[in-house]
Amino acid sequence: MTLLQIMPDDAPDTVLLHTRDEETIAQALRERSVSFTRWPLRAQATPQTASEELLDAYRAEIDELCARQKLRLVDVARLHPEEGAEWQERAAKARSTFLDEHRHAEDEVRFFAHGTGCFYLHLEDRVYAVVCEAGDLLSVPAGTRHWFDMGPVPDFCAIRFFEKEDGWVGDFTQEPIADGFPRLDALLREG
């Protein structure tokens, strides 16, 4: 189930809100111009599920969202646990890439078809940790400082939406803020 934890940006151990209530999550994010909704799960996204099959399962939702937000490109990003040191190295590198605070020139729009990941949104003097799970659609406005944690054993499949081909490129702030906040695995342990 989705989780939202809000903390002051200078006091990560102080929890201002911790909830799994979808309405409360949507309202708290909406107040900060972040969109959170849920789509019905239409397909089981396994490592064997072809990207086109997954996109076809959500075609109606994808087309409607793309038309409404003028999104032009859609793809699938996924990592599923595998055996061996090569996968562990690839997973660790993927995780570390997005653990630093950054922003994008366009909205970051993600639908989780499978698994879990946490977006940390640095909004004014607060950090909103949004643990997304299968069925969650999150749209983060362009320019929002944030970071993403896919966990120590990444297992997720997300449909990504872009306006331009280079829309995913991050502008890293070089601020070490992310280092002080609880990681995805700690948030999930706390419940």
Side-chain angles (χ1 to χ4, degrees):
M1 185 180 251
T2 309
L3 168 69
L4 172 64
Q5 182 164 304
I6 303 174
M7 300 149 284
D9 65 358
D10 61 353
D13 293 331
T14 302
V15 177
L16 303 173
L17 176 68
H18 180 92
T19 184
R20 288 188 176 270
D21 180 74
E22 288 178 20
E23 290 299 317
T24 302
I25 293 168
Q27 178 62 32
L29 293 173
R30 189 171 31 254
E31 290 171 0
R32 297 302 188 118
S33 301
V34 176
S35 173
F36 169 81
T37 57
R38 299 219 8 111
W39 285 355
L41 290 174
R42 300 200 186 288
Q44 178 67 19
T46 68
Q48 294 77 32
T49 306
S51 294
E52 281 307 313
E53 180 183 339
L54 187 63
L55 295 173
D56 286 345
Y58 292 98
R59 182 60 54 207
E61 290 89 349
I62 289 169
D63 290 348
E64 189 277 328
L65 181 65
C66 286
R68 185 169 25 96
Q69 294 190 348
K70 296 181 175 63
L71 301 165
R72 295 185 181 96
L73 302 168
V74 179
D75 72 6
V76 176
R78 66 175 78 209
L79 267 175
H80 298 287
E82 297 175 15
E83 295 294 323
E86 182 180 315
W87 180 83
Q88 291 174 349
E89 185 178 309
R90 190 172 72 237
K93 182 178 179 186
R95 183 184 194 197
S96 69
T97 299
F98 299 105
L99 279 176
D100 290 328
E101 185 181 67
H102 60 281
R103 61 177 72 92
H104 300 284
E106 63 180 58
D107 293 356
E108 182 158 356
V109 184
R110 302 290 183 266
F111 170 70
F112 280 79
H114 169 81
T116 306
C118 186
F119 283 91
Y120 296 79
L121 311 176
H122 189 184
L123 304 167
E124 296 178 15
D125 62 348
R126 302 277 189 263
V127 171
Y128 289 61
V130 186
V131 177
C132 294
E133 297 186 341
D136 291 346
L137 173 68
L138 187 68
S139 181
V140 179
T144 300
R145 295 175 295 163
H146 68 283
W147 61 96
F148 178 74
D149 186 8
M150 58 186 73
V153 183
D155 187 11
F156 71 93
C157 179
I159 298 175
R160 305 184 306 173
F161 299 83
F162 304 101
E163 294 170 34
K164 298 180 226 151
E165 259 186 68
D166 63 351
W168 64 271
V169 175
D171 172 24
F172 289 85
T173 66
Q174 308 304 317
E175 295 294 326
I177 184 170
D179 296 338
F181 284 84
R183 298 280 191 237
L184 171 62
D185 45 326
L187 290 170
L188 292 175
R189 271 196 312 271
E190 294 168 7

